[in-house]
Amino acid sequence: MEIKVNAPAKINLSLDILKRRADGYHDVSMVMQTIDLYDTVTVTENASKEITISCDYEGVPCDKTNIAYKAADLFFNYTRIENPGIHINIDKKIPTQAGMAGGSTDGAAVIVALNKMFNTYLPVKTMKEIGARFGADVPFCIEGGTQLATGIGTDLKKIPSFPDCYIVICKPPVSVSTAEAYALCDKMNFTHPPFTKELVKAIYMRDIYLITSTLYNDFEVALDLEEVKNVKRIMYKCKSNGACMTGSGSAAFGIFTSKKKAEKCVLKLKEQYNEVFLCKPVKEGCKIVD
Ligand code: ATP
């Protein structure tokens, strides 16, 4: 048996870091959005009694440290199903170390695939609980759409869908470790009121102009990356309605109401960068394709 899942990337339309907790995690408040940039995760049953991984993308490990491996291992532990043997192939399109949840969404896809393969009928709520055990972004990737995330990012609340628009993504060749980014933010001592509240209000009003003037990310301010500033400069020059870094970076996105302007922006960015994508917001998370 073989199950194929489309695993979408996410962007953060807002990201406020509220405080560092005693357990080392951070409380955040952010709006997350899935977009139509997908890894394809294919899970195939075999008789090896092992979990094996293949992924032809530089820097992605194919051993136990791959998030997809951890997801499968946890699924078998949780359901007490004896693993007959599975192979997971990841066809990666989502840039890594981009703040786009590329690893988390692969893990989420594995849970969704195994739930189908072994007829376990776990409800979405349970799949999200399993996901939260191996990554704060995983529950969101399972469900997707437009959601307000609080706590360590795993307390999710659906909010109205993001208005139709074009999203240009650009990942400059600079990599950021999420741990380092949090350490920098701890030193910043942000005192501003959370931007997420304003953004959520704008989304309820379905006002794209208000939404795009409320995009914000604490990591972007703390990291202050030259490459991100350059990408945003190009996006604004191409008349983006609003632009921002996503997650702990280093990808940035620009929102456009005009397809023509978005396409022009893609061409302009491609003169300087390799990883540039034209996307749209989607209403779903990981989804079985066939
Ligand atoms: P996030 O938005 O969740 O912080 P990210 O874009 O910063 O994600 P990822 O692309 O998810 O970061 O991965 C970061 C690192 O995790 C990679 O450099 C890689 O070494 C490791 N990794 C483990 N499993 C995967 C996977 N399935 N896909 C991508 N990276 C993985």
Side-chain angles (χ1 to χ4, degrees):
M1 190 180 200
E2 182 176 287
I3 310 271
K4 201 175 269 191
V5 178
N6 270 348
K10 63 89 179 158
I11 55 170
N12 292 93
L13 299 169
S14 70
L15 196 163
D16 293 295
I17 299 167
L18 304 181
K19 70 169 195 308
R20 188 176 194 276
R21 303 163 19 141
D23 60 8
Y25 284 97
H26 289 77
D27 276 332
V28 294
S29 174
M30 55 194 185
V31 175
M32 300 168 99
Q33 174 67 52
T34 39
I35 56 171
D36 63 350
L37 175 62
Y38 302 100
D39 285 350
T40 306
V41 177
T42 308
V43 183
T44 314
E45 193 177 340
N46 56 39
S48 67
K49 296 205 176 290
E50 309 220 337
I51 301 165
T52 51
I53 312 260
S54 56
C55 179
D56 193 9
Y57 196 100
E58 210 193 315
V60 177
C62 289
D63 56 16
K64 287 185 179 184
T65 62
N66 193 300
I67 301 170
Y69 184 103
K70 291 181 194 164
D73 199 34
L74 264 172
F75 175 87
F76 290 123
N77 267 327
Y78 180 90
T79 56
R80 295 174 190 272
I81 290 171
E82 197 184 332
N83 175 18
I86 56 160
H87 180 73
I88 303 166
N89 180 66
I90 303 167
D91 182 6
K92 189 157 271 297
K93 297 283 185 293
I94 304 169
T96 59
Q97 300 211 314
M100 299 178 73
S104 303
T105 200
D106 295 344
V110 167
I111 301 287
V112 170
L114 294 180
N115 192 35
K116 170 84 175 166
M117 185 172 271
F118 294 99
N119 296 315
T120 35
Y121 300 100
L122 301 176
V124 170
K125 185 172 175 282
T126 308
M127 289 197 283
K128 283 161 67 183
E129 278 164 17
I130 298 173
R133 296 184 193 183
F134 63 93
D137 286 345
V138 181
F140 172 73
C141 293
I142 288 175
E143 206 167 34
T146 312
Q147 300 212 36
L148 168 65
T150 52
I152 61 161
T154 53
D155 299 340
L156 298 171
K157 183 181 173 228
K158 281 189 186 171
I159 58 176
S161 295
F162 198 66
D164 212 16
C165 62
Y166 299 90
I167 302 172
V168 176
I169 311 271
C170 179
K171 157 76 173 60
V174 46
S175 291
V176 183
S177 115
T178 306
E180 277 171 37
Y182 269 118
L184 260 178
C185 288
D186 289 340
K187 288 189 200 143
M188 296 288 292
N189 199 14
F190 294 114
T191 52
H192 63 77
F195 283 80
T196 297
K197 218 172 150 186
E198 295 308 310
L199 178 65
V200 171
K201 252 195 251 167
I203 290 176
Y204 271 96
M205 288 163 75
R206 300 195 63 74
D207 181 339
I208 189 82
Y209 299 101
L210 192 57
I211 290 170
T212 49
S213 60
T214 323
L215 307 171
Y216 178 79
N217 183 339
D218 272 338
F219 282 124
E220 182 182 334
V221 176
L223 292 165
D224 198 28
L225 298 169
E226 272 314 313
E227 291 280 22
V228 170
K229 283 195 252 183
N230 186 50
V231 167
K232 285 182 62 176
R233 208 176 296 129
I234 296 169
M235 288 171 168
Y236 279 118
K237 241 182 159 173
C238 293
K239 303 269 185 306
S240 173
N241 298 75
C244 195
M245 193 175 85
T246 174
S248 56
S250 64
F253 62 92
I255 294 179
F256 292 80
T257 44
S258 152
K259 187 179 184 189
K260 223 167 129 190
K261 285 178 185 156
E263 285 172 341
K264 241 179 151 174
C265 182
V266 167
L267 292 179
K268 206 81 206 139
L269 285 163
K270 279 191 173 169
E271 290 173 10
Q272 288 184 45
Y273 299 104
N274 291 328
E275 297 184 281
V276 184
F277 309 90
L278 178 56
C279 303
K280 298 199 82 179
V282 293
K283 294 187 171 71
E284 291 154 337
C286 287
K287 202 172 167 207
I288 294 170
V289 274
D290 51 32

